[in-house]
Amino acid sequence: MSVYRPLVCLFRHGTAARAWRTLTTWSPVGAAFNARVHRRLDIFHQNGLFGVPELSCVEGFEVVQDRALQETQQLVEEACRCPPGVQTVEIFDKLSDSLCRVADMADFIKVAHPDPSYREAAERTCINIGTMVERLNTNVDLCKSLKDLLDNEEIFSKLDPETRRVAELFLFDFEISGIHLDKKKRKEAVNLNVKLLDLSNQFLMSCHMPNRIEKRALPEHIHQHFTKDGNYIQIGGLNADAPDDLVREVAYKVFLYPNENVMHILEELLSCRDKLARLVGYESYAHRALKGTMAKSPGRLYSSEIVSDFEMMREMKTKLNPRNPAVVHETEGLLGYIYCDFFYRPDKPHQDCHFTIRGGRQLEDGQYQLPIVVLMLNLPHPTRSAPTLLSPGMMENLFHEMGHAMHSMLGRTRYQHVTGTRCVTDFAEVPSILMEYFATDYRVISQFARHYQTGQPLPQSMVARLCESKKVCGAADTQLQVFYAIMDQVYHGKPQNRSTTDIMIDMQKKYYGLPYVTNTAWQLRFSHLVGYGAKYYSYLMSRAVASMVWKQCFYKDPLNRETGERYRREMLAHGGGKEPMLMVEGMLQKRPSIEDFVNALVSDLDPDFETFIMDSEG
């Protein structure tokens, strides 16, 4: 069973910044950001990391880990003895919670803690807990105790809907590991899972490895834009923000130059996923990945509405920009640790992401186990004349991650296994993307965005023009996301007897407006193929749902308390404990169709922004 489901986030370099003590505070959130940064973590460690006394020192990880493993063994024995009933699901959830609260915490600490010894200890804990999870996934007796419940129609039908759904989710986790297979095939499934873990790690590492080229191959005047390594120059990214066309061209061609070894890793990864999916009874890996999602199956993602609307967006883009330039967006953000302190990590790029350290659940004594949530973001450095100031992109990113945090904090599920963001991928991004709409509404921005010296709010006209400017090339960006999503589906669909590059070239020709650049292989840098395999479409679907919720429920009055309560009640409170489309239907008072999704995405491209372009040229 999958006991924890960490979010996959985009990497972004950054470090924590010094606090600016003279900045005025208008809200508790502002106070959190303005608090003095403690470079030393003595205060933080007095009560142990996250209030766990044993974690006031590195050695405590082993103590916490061993305790969780011992508790796990006891719960497994209890589950196997327990007669079919609601207690079965409750024991399974305790088992999930016991491992999850250690694994999730270690997963965060291994990437965020400033002390390498803590990171290494956390990494070992992740491995040990992960090993236990693999053992549980293949524990036939444990699975039988759950299956006995689901097969007993009389007892199962009397369970409440959330309990039934959680039981089914636990069984699904067993089945995708091949628990229902005979001994030989089950061993094959275990071996494939182990191999997939290794291939996934190899591919993720390779996605961010720089490529080298001899200095003499490049004009000397652009050497300064890259890292020098003896007689070579290292290029570790696309340099998309560089004003020099040649720098961008060189970075694109060198960084995306095909690597045969990485090509083999990706193709072996896709092959193993396909073998595992077919072994456990699915038509393809995409069919396995989409079970239980809003999309349901890969077929729904290839509707004629999506393709025809894609052509409409192509025409819009051509009308607004006849030269059809490439657009590259890079996520911005903050590095912060919003719990009770800030971590400072000068040695490693960070992610903009949300971590659920402890999930919420109903306790036996009637109380609710409150969740613990972390936002890890990138903060720019203050200067002598100004404090740390957030750019519009950073502010929007803060809202995005806070949307995830709200999902976790406001969830009130009975079971930890489905709390907050522990839901299907194409629904998990809805609350975060919805918050982006709030972040671009002047009625919301005016509540907190003020000049750090005068206290004057941002002019409404400035906010309006900023929002309109974001729509420029919006169709191109949506077009690119459609291409990525379809490419992801094809890779994880029926196997094809050709290379991933040949497939990509074909798909790019059909679904993207820019031609393929010879001797490049961008798919080898597409790390989302690991974390979002067959589910990259989730960003588009979540954006469509968020757009509908915003326009129908919040656009007229984004600060309406009654609407906010309905949103909490209908969408945030259930986490993954309710079928996602039912939550959307409860909020919108209708079940959206594929056509509704497409129309929502297209409406966000609002052609009124032609006025913005004309004004800019004037």
Side-chain angles (χ1 to χ4, degrees):
M1 80 200 119
S2 299
V3 295
Y4 66 108
R5 300 167 184 176
L7 295 176
V8 179
C9 315
L10 300 175
F11 279 93
R12 180 66 173 167
H13 179 70
T15 56
R18 291 180 288 111
W20 185 264
R21 303 306 300 170
T22 59
L23 180 57
T24 304
T25 296
W26 290 286
S27 69
V29 174
F33 276 97
N34 297 336
R36 183 183 299 278
V37 177
H38 298 283
R39 292 296 180 87
R40 296 181 62 192
L41 303 179
D42 296 343
I43 296 177
F44 185 75
H45 282 180
Q46 281 180 0
N47 299 317
L49 291 170
F50 296 102
V52 179
E54 292 83 355
L55 294 186
S56 57
C57 63
V58 173
E59 293 74 18
F61 277 97
E62 189 172 348
V63 176
V64 172
Q65 164 200 292
D66 290 347
R67 185 168 60 215
L69 295 179
Q70 289 174 10
E71 185 178 354
T72 294
Q73 188 58 44
Q74 294 171 359
L75 288 169
V76 168
E77 294 172 1
E78 186 178 346
C80 293
R81 293 194 308 266
C82 181
V86 67
Q87 300 93 337
T88 305
V89 183
E90 291 173 346
I91 294 171
F92 267 75
D93 192 62
K94 287 180 184 178
L95 181 59
S96 174
D97 183 64
S98 179
L99 293 172
C100 210
R101 62 169 62 205
V102 177
D104 285 349
M105 179 173 58
D107 192 52
F108 168 67
I109 293 171
K110 75 178 184 180
V111 298
H113 203 286
D115 187 336
S117 63
Y118 271 85
R119 299 199 300 271
E120 291 166 7
E123 175 68 26
R124 289 193 297 271
T125 296
C126 285
I127 293 172
N128 292 333
I129 295 293
T131 301
M132 172 57 77
V133 172
E134 289 302 317
R135 288 172 55 190
L136 295 177
N137 284 340
T138 55
N139 188 316
V140 177
D141 292 334
L142 185 62
C143 179
K144 183 179 181 302
S145 69
L146 184 67
K147 201 168 187 308
D148 286 345
L149 170 62
L150 273 75
D151 289 344
N152 192 319
E153 294 184 9
E154 181 181 355
I155 295 177
F156 190 71
S157 63
K158 294 179 181 178
L159 300 178
D160 63 273
E162 184 179 349
T163 300
R164 291 200 299 269
R165 178 172 175 81
V166 171
E168 291 169 347
L169 288 173
F170 275 125
L171 185 62
F172 174 67
D173 289 337
F174 275 118
E175 290 178 343
I176 63 176
S177 297
I179 195 73
H180 57 294
L181 304 174
D182 60 43
K183 187 174 181 180
K184 182 180 178 181
K185 289 183 177 179
R186 190 162 64 245
K187 183 177 180 181
E188 183 181 352
V190 171
N191 290 337
L192 283 170
N193 272 312
V194 172
K195 187 175 182 180
L196 278 170
L197 284 173
D198 183 50
L199 288 169
S200 296
N201 287 331
Q202 289 183 52
F203 184 72
L204 285 174
M205 289 179 63
S206 67
C207 284
H208 306 287
M209 293 294 289
N211 275 343
R212 294 200 312 171
I213 188 172
E214 290 187 357
K215 284 182 180 179
R216 62 182 182 177
L218 302 180
E220 189 172 347
H221 74 277
I222 67 170
H223 288 186
Q224 60 181 325
H225 294 278
F226 307 108
T227 302
K228 297 176 183 178
D229 181 15
N231 293 325
Y232 292 88
I233 284 179
Q234 288 191 351
I235 299 180
L238 295 176
N239 287 59
D241 296 329
D244 191 320
D245 291 354
L246 182 58
V247 171
R248 297 197 302 273
E249 180 181 353
V250 166
Y252 189 92
K253 291 181 176 179
V254 175
F255 186 63
L256 299 183
Y257 190 80
N259 181 302
E260 289 300 322
N261 182 52
V262 181
M263 189 81 70
H264 175 74
I265 292 172
L266 175 58
E267 291 177 352
E268 187 70 9
L269 172 67
L270 297 175
S271 176
C272 281
R273 281 178 167 175
D274 180 71
K275 289 178 183 176
L276 180 60
R278 291 175 184 274
L279 183 64
V280 298
Y282 290 90
E283 186 177 335
S284 69
Y285 185 83
H287 284 82
R288 174 189 139 168
L290 268 61
K291 182 177 179 179
T293 64
M294 288 194 288
K296 299 296 185 184
S297 67
R300 297 192 72 199
L301 300 177
Y302 288 100
S303 72
S304 59
E305 289 94 339
I306 287 180
V307 175
S308 62
D309 193 68
F310 181 83
E311 293 301 321
M312 184 278 291
M313 288 190 289
R314 186 197 303 273
E315 292 174 5
M316 180 189 294
K317 178 187 171 187
T318 302
K319 176 182 177 182
L320 295 174
N321 195 344
R323 288 183 289 184
N324 198 20
V327 177
V328 181
H329 293 282
E330 179 140 357
T331 305
E332 294 181 289
L334 314 170
L335 163 63
Y337 170 42
I338 305 179
Y339 176 66
C340 63
D341 208 334
F342 285 94
F343 276 156
Y344 178 65
R345 284 290 309 277
D347 60 314
K348 183 179 179 180
H350 275 283
Q351 301 172 327
D352 292 325
C353 45
H354 146 274
F355 289 83
T356 298
I357 305 300
R358 184 181 72 190
R361 69 186 180 106
Q362 194 68 48
L363 300 176
E364 294 177 358
D365 62 4
Q367 297 187 61
Y368 195 80
Q369 175 176 291
L370 295 177
I372 297 176
V373 177
V374 164
L375 297 187
M376 191 169 75
L377 308 153
N378 290 316
L379 280 173
H381 286 287
T383 65
R384 290 184 177 277
S385 59
T388 292
L389 300 173
L390 276 63
S391 69
M394 292 173 183
M395 186 268 293
E396 183 178 297
N397 203 63
L398 172 60
F399 270 64
H400 177 100
E401 299 303 336
M402 187 59 75
H404 285 309
M406 288 169 59
H407 201 178
S408 293
M409 292 187 292
L410 298 180
R412 285 299 179 269
T413 55
R414 179 175 180 178
Y415 300 101
Q416 180 273 159
H417 194 65
V418 290
T419 186
T421 54
R422 288 172 182 154
C423 57
V424 292
T425 308
D426 56 4
F427 184 77
E429 291 294 330
V430 172
S432 56
I433 293 175
L434 177 62
M435 287 297 289
E436 293 179 18
Y437 288 92
F438 284 89
T440 55
D441 188 282
Y442 182 74
R443 292 164 294 181
V444 176
I445 295 175
S446 63
Q447 299 293 311
F448 64 88
R450 293 173 168 81
H451 194 283
Y452 74 97
Q453 290 177 321
T454 66
Q456 293 297 311
L458 280 174
Q460 186 169 359
S461 59
M462 182 185 295
V463 175
R465 288 181 64 83
L466 175 63
C467 293
E468 289 302 306
S469 71
K470 292 176 59 180
K471 297 178 183 178
V472 176
C473 292
D477 185 56
T478 301
Q479 179 178 344
L480 180 63
Q481 295 302 312
V482 169
F483 167 47
Y484 285 166
I486 292 178
M487 184 77 266
D488 178 45
Q489 286 294 307
V490 173
Y491 278 160
H492 291 97
K494 184 178 179 180
Q496 303 184 33
N497 296 319
R498 49 182 180 156
S499 71
T500 56
T501 300
D502 288 339
I503 296 173
M504 180 264 291
I505 293 172
D506 185 27
M507 293 297 103
Q508 183 166 340
K509 183 178 180 180
K510 290 180 180 179
Y511 299 107
Y512 193 42
L514 298 179
Y516 166 73
V517 177
T518 305
N519 288 326
T520 61
W522 67 260
Q523 78 275 16
L524 303 184
R525 302 291 186 177
F526 195 44
S527 61
H528 286 297
L529 287 174
V530 170
Y532 279 78
K535 292 187 282 191
Y536 189 79
Y537 76 91
S538 297
Y539 287 108
L540 285 171
M541 181 164 281
S542 293
R543 181 163 293 281
V545 173
S547 175
M548 286 186 278
V549 172
W550 168 257
K551 290 166 185 169
Q552 180 175 317
C553 306
F554 289 105
Y555 179 74
K556 289 184 178 180
D557 182 4
L559 303 178
N560 184 278
R561 179 62 179 265
E562 183 179 345
T563 307
E565 286 290 346
R566 186 159 69 90
Y567 171 56
R568 179 189 61 79
R569 184 176 62 252
E570 296 289 347
M571 297 187 74
L572 297 181
H574 302 289
K578 187 176 181 179
E579 201 273 323
M581 197 57 78
L582 291 179
M583 290 187 274
V584 174
E585 185 176 354
M587 190 68 193
L588 298 176
Q589 296 300 296
K590 65 168 286 188
R591 179 171 285 254
S593 64
I594 289 292
E595 185 176 5
D596 290 329
F597 289 144
V598 174
N599 290 337
L601 291 173
V602 174
S603 67
D604 275 355
L605 302 175
D606 190 359
D608 289 344
F609 69 84
E610 291 182 26
T611 304
F612 171 83
I613 296 176
M614 290 186 291
D615 287 347
S616 299
E617 292 175 347

